[in-house]
Amino acid sequence: MADNQLIDISKAGGVQTDAKDSPKHVATGNTHAQGSSDTVEADGPVSKRRKVDHEETERESRQESSTDRVRGCAPVKAEYLISSEAQPKAIDDDAAEASIATNDAVNGKPYTQGGDGRDGRDGKKRKKQGGQNQNRNYGHFEDEIRLCNSVTYTNEFSPKPCKFGERCNLSHDIRKYLKEGRRGDLETLDGKCPIFEKYGRCISGWKCRFVKSHSKEIDHEDGRKELVLLQNSEPLEVDEDPDKRPGIANVVTSDTKWDLARRKVKFEKSEPYIKWLEKDTDLTKKFYNRKKKEGDGQEDADAVEELRAQFVDPPLKPSEKRKIYFGKETPVLAPLTTQGNLPFRRLCVELGAQVTYSEMAMGMPLVQGQKGEWALMKCHESELESPRFNPEIGAIVKGYDNSKDLKFGAQISGNQPWVAMKATEALTRFLPHLRVVDLNCGCPIDLVYQSGAGSGLLDTPSKLEKIVRGMNVVSGEVPITAKLRTGVRDGKPTADRLIERLAFGGQDTRDRLGAPGCAAITLHGRSRQQRYTKSANWSYIAECAALIKSYKEKKDELTDTAMETDESTQANTTDGKVYFIGNGDCYSHVDYLDHIDKAGVDTVMIARGAMVKPWLFEEIEKGQYLDKSASERLGYVEKFVRYGLEAWGSDELGLGFTRRFLLEWLSFTHRYVPVGLLEYLPPSLNDRPPRYRGRNDLETLLASDNYKDWIKISEMFLGPAHPSFKFQPKHKSNSYEIEAEG
């Protein structure tokens, strides 16, 4: 994109990219057109295509060295270049993926003076992060006149009783509201409400910005004219939970959240186990302190034995877990804070993601019933479908029933066993659709780390084991998994030791309590200190994968045949298999297959690569590059908008949330360089493009790093932004002005 110039939207909007005429780079054999995408593929089965891919990659590597490919700079073909210098690199993708804006009404996050409440960056005793915009907020986006719910979902002459009566401060005059209290109807999306078109009922009623498409004025015999809503199903009740939307699952009732907030929920599994754990922890400390002081005297030996005799079994044992499966055919979408919202996950599932996770939820707010954290647990009905299951010949998954499996899992963080246990028990009790509960042990954000959660658990292996073991006890049939980083500090990896502990338990607990019961472990190949300053360390991931594979033999050695391990503590199969997933810098099907073949992981979790090009999952499934036209990519933007309106509503508030999260996503998608513009393949996720122009105006617009262009893209589908709406990119390199043009 040239020098942050704004693109003429009137030109870009009407341009279609013709796949036949688009210049493209043929990497592996013949070029075929599938739909409207340019595809780059090799003839023959997938195994042969992969071999050709690897040979071609090696050949291209030799070409790159001969043409002096610049490290960190995307190799755009000369005919598209405006400037040969790479654009500034984003400062901290961890912050981009994990920071939460202030005044975040959609997730109920409180305004925190001085920065992101989770990051805790208050400017004191910290090196300034120059590339990040602190204290971001989005203004407000609501109607001028607020309409009471007693008339929102009903016809003009049939309002529901208002429970506040004459004390109600909201408007009950529909005509006045439509004339003076809101902005006019949108003409985008053909002027039709996408929710009404799909479900026959609009959940926003008269507040919908497309209300003309599902309302009319009728004449009565007495001469009166009445405004009525068109709907093919029963209207919403006044007290009906507005979170209950068509196609959305895992909606927790307001009463349940109130009960949690008022501490009326009894944690029948967690509370007795927590009491036992506290006593067991104190006894363990006494035992080892006494053992250190033990001398040669009989009195000391008797004291140690007396303490040993006081150890008792926990009051509860884990329930038998539902079996899960990870394989080459199940690429995983990573849990992504802010970016991993429901509409984005829905789009990725449609494009081939087989496993998804909620955004990371904080354990304590879940236990306290906070609305924002529980909202993260909602999922789309497409995430309830079974993942693809096509295991390789000879691979037997004992007890796994694909028909009972689903795609969606929850991720939580917790800094104490009791917090994680109660959060897990609440999730598995109140959410009917969960594949797994994943413990985040990698979040690098300061406030999370300093509290002892996230990557803070990497330095406390004993506490980590207690948390996972406790979660496994209280989770019912839902398996427990964990996501790690290589370690806290560069050059000092600890994940290998943590993985062994999660697989078997510590030296002091494995014989007495068995394995903690971790069903799968994901390893991000970076340390907390490293962030995104270097590429992910797949060599270390491969070492850990080899350890996992050696654990079956080691398990046999560790198991005392006279005291066989209790199967209830084991995860997945009867042989105690622990799935191992790698994570970091996957940006093509070549990367994906290389990591599975060379690193030996069961599958790969994809984060930034999916945010930049969500059709990466489609490329993995087809085993080929897809040169998506600009019109196709814009089509994904439209889908996101439609999915956002279904998730958050088509009223002014819902439009604001949809626009906000769309802009957050566009702050990643603009990094994508079409494969047809690249001189060499495979592309690298860490490369930044030089200034370039696309094959048409729309492609150039989609590559713009100017956030005003992102707002213009949003206006194609959502109309002009609310006058009070604000957007500020996470990175200052994308900032020009703060307030959006209405």
Side-chain angles (χ1 to χ4, degrees):
M1 182 58 208
D3 301 322
N4 300 324
Q5 294 176 352
L6 294 176
I7 306 301
D8 188 345
I9 200 74
S10 62
K11 293 181 181 179
V15 177
Q16 299 290 321
T17 302
D18 189 343
K20 295 180 181 178
D21 298 331
S22 298
K24 48 193 172 287
H25 179 69
V26 182
T28 55
N30 300 328
T31 303
H32 304 279
Q34 291 189 0
S36 54
S37 299
D38 289 336
T39 64
V40 185
E41 65 174 333
D43 294 332
V46 174
S47 59
K48 290 186 177 180
R49 289 203 299 269
R50 280 168 37 206
K51 183 177 180 181
V52 174
D53 279 338
H54 296 324
E55 291 173 352
E56 184 66 25
T57 302
E58 293 176 3
R59 201 157 47 242
E60 287 163 354
S61 298
R62 292 192 292 271
Q63 292 174 354
E64 291 167 22
S65 60
S66 62
T67 53
D68 297 327
R69 179 172 178 175
V70 180
R71 181 180 176 84
C73 181
V76 176
K77 292 178 180 178
E79 61 262 37
Y80 300 106
L81 287 176
I82 296 173
S83 169
S84 59
E85 294 183 4
Q87 298 183 52
K89 190 172 182 178
I91 302 301
D92 183 1
D93 268 346
D94 269 306
E97 291 176 26
S99 63
I100 297 293
T102 58
N103 197 22
D104 186 356
V106 69
N107 287 328
K109 308 297 180 189
Y111 180 91
T112 306
Q113 194 68 30
D116 184 339
R118 292 189 183 180
D119 206 0
R121 299 172 191 257
D122 56 3
K124 297 179 182 179
K125 298 180 181 180
R126 283 198 53 81
K127 183 178 179 181
K128 185 178 179 181
Q129 297 286 330
Q132 299 173 27
N133 280 316
Q134 301 291 332
N135 202 21
R136 304 168 67 221
N137 74 80
Y138 300 90
H140 64 87
F141 28 89
E142 54 193 24
D143 292 326
E144 191 71 25
I145 296 175
R146 297 178 63 191
L147 191 65
C148 180
N149 279 350
S150 64
V151 299
T152 297
Y153 311 109
T154 63
N155 297 334
E156 185 179 13
F157 297 163
S158 308
K160 300 287 184 181
C162 177
K163 61 182 180 181
F164 296 103
E166 296 179 356
R167 296 180 292 112
C168 184
N169 294 323
L170 306 182
S171 174
H172 295 76
D173 188 335
I174 294 175
R175 292 183 182 270
K176 181 179 180 181
Y177 167 78
L178 293 175
K179 185 178 180 180
E180 304 173 11
R182 65 191 283 274
R183 296 196 293 159
D185 265 30
L186 292 173
E187 300 300 326
T188 57
L189 303 179
D190 298 325
K192 297 178 180 178
C193 173
I195 304 170
F196 180 79
E197 288 290 302
K198 185 169 184 179
Y199 299 105
R201 183 185 79 168
C202 178
I203 52 178
S204 299
W206 292 109
K207 296 179 183 179
C208 176
R209 290 290 308 279
F210 302 90
V211 71
K212 288 180 181 177
S213 67
H214 53 78
S215 66
K216 65 179 181 179
E217 187 177 60
I218 61 174
D219 296 321
H220 289 282
E221 293 180 357
D222 59 3
R224 295 186 303 164
K225 296 180 182 292
E226 181 184 16
L227 294 173
V228 298
L229 288 170
L230 305 176
Q231 45 200 5
N232 301 330
S233 57
E234 290 297 318
L236 288 174
E237 296 294 331
V238 176
D239 296 327
E240 189 172 342
D241 193 336
D243 285 340
K244 291 183 178 179
R245 303 178 185 273
I248 307 299
N250 282 349
V251 179
V252 177
T253 65
S254 298
D255 289 343
T256 298
K257 286 177 275 193
W258 269 111
D259 288 343
L260 285 166
R262 291 177 290 190
R263 299 184 181 181
K264 290 189 175 182
V265 173
K266 183 173 177 60
F267 294 93
E268 297 174 351
K269 297 178 182 178
S270 298
E271 288 174 354
Y273 190 90
I274 290 167
K275 290 180 181 178
W276 170 85
L277 182 61
E278 290 173 350
K279 292 179 180 178
D280 190 78
T281 301
D282 290 341
L283 190 58
T284 300
K285 290 179 181 177
K286 292 178 181 177
F287 178 78
Y288 282 101
N289 287 337
R290 186 70 188 219
K291 200 170 182 182
K292 283 181 182 179
K293 299 176 182 177
E294 185 180 358
D296 296 330
Q298 183 63 37
E299 184 178 340
D300 290 330
D302 291 343
V304 170
E305 288 304 314
E306 184 180 345
L307 286 172
R308 192 193 301 275
Q310 294 179 32
F311 284 101
V312 296
D313 291 338
L316 300 169
K317 288 186 177 182
S319 302
E320 184 177 354
K321 305 301 177 187
R322 187 194 323 115
K323 310 307 180 187
I324 58 173
Y325 170 78
F326 290 96
K328 186 178 292 186
E329 71 275 27
T330 59
V332 180
L333 176 64
L336 300 164
T337 303
T338 303
Q339 309 297 336
N341 50 68
L342 187 150
F344 180 73
R345 297 197 313 268
R346 181 179 173 185
L347 178 63
C348 288
V349 166
E350 187 176 311
L351 291 170
Q354 297 302 308
V355 178
T356 63
Y357 290 90
S358 71
E359 301 175 51
M360 183 186 76
M362 309 294 280
M364 183 62 80
L366 285 173
V367 175
Q368 294 171 338
Q370 292 187 18
K371 180 180 177 181
E373 229 64 20
W374 280 99
L376 302 178
M377 297 298 115
K378 291 188 286 188
C379 66
H380 186 256
E381 58 188 6
S382 63
E383 296 178 271
L384 306 184
E385 298 172 0
S386 301
R388 192 183 300 123
F389 180 58
N390 185 27
E392 295 182 350
I393 297 174
I396 300 174
V397 184
K398 296 180 181 179
Y400 174 68
D401 185 349
N402 183 250
S403 65
K404 294 182 180 179
D405 202 358
L406 65 158
K407 293 182 170 74
F408 179 75
Q411 190 188 64
I412 65 171
S413 69
N415 62 349
Q416 294 295 334
W418 72 269
V419 173
M421 289 171 62
K422 286 190 173 183
T424 300
E425 184 175 355
L427 288 175
T428 53
R429 185 195 303 184
F430 300 124
L431 301 181
H433 307 291
L434 279 181
R435 185 177 204 251
V436 300
V437 177
D438 185 73
L439 178 66
N440 183 300
C441 310
C443 180
I445 301 305
D446 290 344
L447 193 61
V448 176
Y449 171 74
Q450 291 166 2
S451 73
S455 55
L457 292 173
L458 300 176
D459 278 344
T460 54
S462 178
K463 182 167 73 172
L464 172 58
E465 181 189 341
K466 290 174 184 176
I467 290 176
V468 171
R469 191 182 295 280
M471 290 171 65
N472 193 49
V473 167
V474 303
S475 66
E477 69 167 6
V478 180
I480 301 301
T481 63
K483 185 172 187 286
L484 315 174
R485 284 186 178 239
T486 58
V488 173
R489 288 162 287 279
D490 281 347
K492 296 181 179 179
T494 58
D496 52 338
R497 297 191 293 276
L498 292 175
I499 289 170
E500 181 173 345
R501 189 154 192 154
L502 291 175
F504 300 118
Q507 296 284 350
D508 54 337
T509 58
R510 61 178 56 150
D511 291 336
R512 185 165 60 94
L513 302 175
C518 191
I521 298 170
T522 302
L523 178 59
H524 184 179
R526 290 182 170 89
S527 67
R528 176 186 183 266
Q529 182 182 13
Q530 177 184 341
R531 299 286 178 104
Y532 282 87
T533 56
K534 298 176 184 176
S535 298
N537 187 349
W538 276 93
S539 296
Y540 183 68
I541 293 176
E543 291 177 20
C544 293
L547 284 176
I548 289 274
K549 288 186 173 156
S550 71
Y551 283 167
K552 189 176 186 305
E553 296 177 7
K554 190 168 184 179
K555 175 177 176 289
D556 294 336
E557 295 174 5
L558 290 172
T559 302
D560 184 349
T561 54
M563 185 180 175
E564 191 67 31
T565 304
D566 188 342
E567 289 295 341
S568 68
T569 69
Q570 304 301 301
N572 295 307
T573 59
T574 52
D575 63 358
K577 176 179 175 62
V578 177
Y579 286 107
F580 188 58
I581 300 106
N583 173 223
D585 296 346
C586 182
Y587 194 45
S588 70
H589 67 285
V590 175
D591 292 339
Y592 181 84
L593 294 172
D594 273 352
H595 295 330
I596 291 176
D597 291 345
K598 296 179 180 178
V601 294
D602 291 299
T603 189
V604 177
M605 179 179 281
I606 303 169
R608 290 181 301 156
M611 289 190 288
V612 175
K613 60 168 187 179
W615 59 92
L616 173 55
F617 297 104
E618 188 180 358
E619 291 186 342
I620 290 169
E621 182 180 355
K622 295 181 177 179
Q624 60 194 26
Y625 293 103
L626 297 177
D627 189 5
K628 295 285 184 178
S629 66
S631 56
E632 284 180 287
R633 292 165 59 198
L634 191 66
Y636 293 141
V637 174
E638 180 179 350
K639 281 190 175 183
F640 180 93
V641 168
R642 290 180 179 274
Y643 297 163
L645 295 178
E646 288 184 33
W648 297 309
S650 53
D651 58 353
E652 192 69 68
L653 205 60
L655 257 69
F657 292 149
T658 301
R659 190 189 309 273
R660 171 244 165 132
F661 285 107
L662 173 61
L663 294 174
E664 298 282 13
W665 180 38
L666 292 176
S667 72
F668 282 89
T669 61
H670 83 275
R671 302 184 192 180
Y672 172 71
V673 182
V675 295
L677 273 62
L678 292 175
E679 198 72 52
Y680 315 113
L681 294 175
S684 171
L685 183 57
N686 295 317
D687 283 352
R688 293 293 180 267
R691 302 290 177 185
Y692 74 96
R693 63 177 62 85
R695 292 167 287 194
N696 53 53
D697 286 344
L698 180 55
E699 195 165 75
T700 305
L701 173 68
L702 293 172
S704 173
D705 61 357
N706 187 331
Y707 91 98
K708 288 187 177 181
D709 283 329
W710 308 341
I711 291 179
K712 288 188 175 183
I713 293 171
S714 77
E715 290 176 344
M716 290 183 182
F717 308 105
L718 294 170
H722 191 283
S724 300
F725 176 81
K726 297 179 181 180
F727 179 74
Q728 190 175 22
K730 288 177 178 172
H731 297 299
K732 292 181 180 178
S733 59
N734 301 119
S735 302
Y736 301 96
E737 295 177 14
I738 296 179
E739 192 162 333
E741 296 176 329

